[in-house]
Amino acid sequence: MARSPRPAPPVPKVARPADEEPSPRRNSPDASHGSPHGPSRVRRAMGWFFTPHRLLMLGLIPLCAALVPFTAKHLPDLSSRDEYRLTADRVRLEPPPPIVVPTNLVPTVLGEEPVSVLEDGLAGRLADGFAKHPWVAGVERVEVLSPAAAVVELRYRTPIAAVAAGDGLYPIDAAGVLLPPSDFTRPAADALPRIAGIESTPGPAGTVWPDPAVTGAAAVCAALASDWPRLDLAAVRPLDASAGRFWERVRQTPVADDDQEVGDPRFELVTRAGSRILWGRPPGTSHPGALATDTKRLRLTRDLAGVLAGERTRGPEWADLTAWDGVYHLPLRAAMREPTPRR
C-alpha cells in the first residue's frame, strides 16, 4: 500500500525591525524617482520652499508694494525745509568773479526763488544756466551739497577791446564774443583798446560777432594787451579800400590783392599821436607768407619803441612790420613823397 507524501514544513516568518520601512513597490511613483540616499530633489525643494516663514515673506511682497504710494504720500516734504533750499548766497563760485563781472551773476542764473537741492537734475540745470551767461566762457564743475549749498567752478570772459560801431561802444573778449554793453560805464568802455572801421552789427550778448574783421582785430588786441598802454596805441582797424591804396602807394607793392583768396583781412595800428603801423594779418592766420605774431610784436616793442617815443615831438610815423627783411619806417609826412622808405 503506497504511502502519501509528507507535507512540507511551513517557512518561518522573519520579524522585521520596527524602524524599517517596507521597500517601495516596483510600480509606485516614488520608486522611479526616488534615491536610495533619501527623498527626491523635487520633494526636497518643495519642503524647503513651503515653510511658514517663507510663505509669510512671499505674502508680504504685494502688501509692501501697495503701501509704498500711501507711505510716500504721507511723508514730510523735505524740499520746503530751509536746510534743503538753495539760495544765491549759498552758491560759491570758484574762482571768485573778476571785478568786471557783475555781482548779480548767480541770481541771474539761479532765479529769485530758492530751489531744492533734492530736485532731480539740479546740477545739470545749474551748469546749463551758467554756460549760457554772456560772462561765462565755460563751466568746469558743479557740485550740489547738503545742507543746501553748491560749488560752481567757472572760466570767465575778459574784455579785451571795445568795437566802435555806429554811435556805441561794444565790449568783446579775445574770441570776439560780445559782452553785455549795459554792464560797462562809458569811461570803462573808453579805457579798453579800440577797434575802429567796423561797419557790421553784432548779435546778442554772449555770441561771436559775425565779422572776421572784428574777430581778427580782437586777436590783435589780445596779442598786444600788455603793450597797449606803453606804446600809446589808440586803435586797430582793418584795411579798407582807402587804407589799402595808401599802403600800396607807400610800400610800392600790392597789399590787398590776395586777401580775398585767404579770407583774412589785414590790419593797421594807430597811435594817439597819429602814427600808422602796418600789422598785417591777424594771429592764427593760415597765410603762408605772414610773419609770426611774436616776431611782429618783438619788432614793435623793441625796434620801434624808440621811434614811437619821439612821435609827439617829431610828428607821427609810418612803419611796416610785415616785411621779411626787417622793419621799415618813415615820418608820415615824408612817406607819401619818398619812393623807398628807410629801415
Side-chain angles (χ1 to χ4, degrees):
M1 181 173 181
R3 295 181 178 179
S4 61
R6 300 177 64 178
V11 180
K13 294 184 179 182
V14 180
R16 183 181 291 112
D19 57 349
E20 183 177 346
E21 297 181 1
S23 59
R25 295 181 179 178
R26 186 179 301 274
N27 58 351
S28 64
D30 291 341
S32 58
H33 302 286
S35 170
H37 304 288
S40 66
R41 294 181 179 178
V42 176
R43 294 184 62 183
R44 288 201 303 268
M46 294 176 62
W48 176 88
F49 183 78
F50 289 102
T51 57
H53 68 279
R54 288 189 174 88
L55 293 176
L56 178 61
M57 294 176 60
L58 184 64
L60 288 176
I61 292 177
L63 178 62
C64 293
L67 288 176
V68 167
F70 177 82
T71 305
K73 183 178 180 181
H74 290 80
L75 285 176
D77 185 10
L78 299 179
S79 62
S80 61
R81 300 179 61 172
D82 289 341
E83 58 264 36
Y84 296 101
R85 292 169 65 83
L86 182 64
T87 55
D89 60 320
R90 295 181 179 178
V91 177
R92 185 173 79 249
L93 300 181
E94 294 182 355
I99 192 172
V100 294
V101 177
T103 57
N104 65 344
L105 173 59
V106 175
T108 302
V109 174
L110 190 63
E112 298 180 358
E113 295 296 327
V115 296
S116 173
V117 296
L118 302 178
E119 176 185 328
D120 292 336
L122 178 60
R125 187 165 70 86
L126 290 176
D128 292 341
F130 279 105
K132 294 176 182 178
H133 197 280
W135 278 101
V136 175
V139 180
E140 301 295 334
R141 178 175 62 97
V142 176
E143 184 178 0
V144 178
L145 308 173
S146 181
V151 179
V152 184
E153 186 177 348
L154 301 175
R155 288 183 290 108
Y156 303 98
R157 302 191 191 279
T158 301
I160 201 68
V163 181
D167 297 331
L169 290 178
Y170 300 89
I172 60 174
D173 73 347
V177 175
L178 179 67
L179 302 174
S182 58
D183 292 341
F184 292 81
T185 62
R186 183 66 188 209
D190 284 332
L192 294 172
R194 186 70 55 87
I195 297 176
I198 301 300
E199 298 180 356
S200 59
T201 56
T207 61
V208 178
W209 196 303
D211 186 350
V214 174
T215 54
V220 175
C221 292
L224 299 175
S226 59
D227 306 309
W228 196 273
R230 180 167 59 87
L231 297 174
D232 202 26
L233 297 176
V236 57
R237 60 192 180 195
L239 297 185
D240 56 11
S242 175
R245 289 192 297 269
F246 166 79
W247 286 105
E248 288 177 1
R249 183 166 56 250
V250 174
R251 298 173 77 245
Q252 298 183 353
T253 56
V255 169
D257 289 349
D258 58 347
D259 281 350
Q260 294 181 354
E261 299 179 3
V262 178
D264 292 329
R266 296 195 185 204
F267 297 91
E268 67 174 355
L269 304 171
V270 182
T271 67
R272 296 185 184 278
S275 295
R276 300 176 66 174
I277 305 167
L278 182 62
W279 174 269
R281 301 184 188 276
T285 181
S286 58
H287 194 281
L291 291 178
T293 299
D294 291 342
T295 301
K296 292 188 285 187
R297 180 175 175 272
L298 183 62
R299 290 180 174 183
L300 179 63
T301 57
R302 184 189 63 185
D303 301 338
L304 284 180
V307 176
L308 296 177
E311 64 179 344
R312 291 190 178 276
T313 56
R314 296 192 303 267
E317 291 279 330
W318 167 93
D320 182 5
L321 304 176
T322 64
W324 279 88
D325 56 346
V327 180
Y328 290 84
H329 67 89
L330 278 176
L332 189 60
R333 62 179 181 273
M336 305 297 295
R337 301 194 305 267
E338 298 186 19
T340 305
R342 67 175 185 272
R343 292 183 58 180

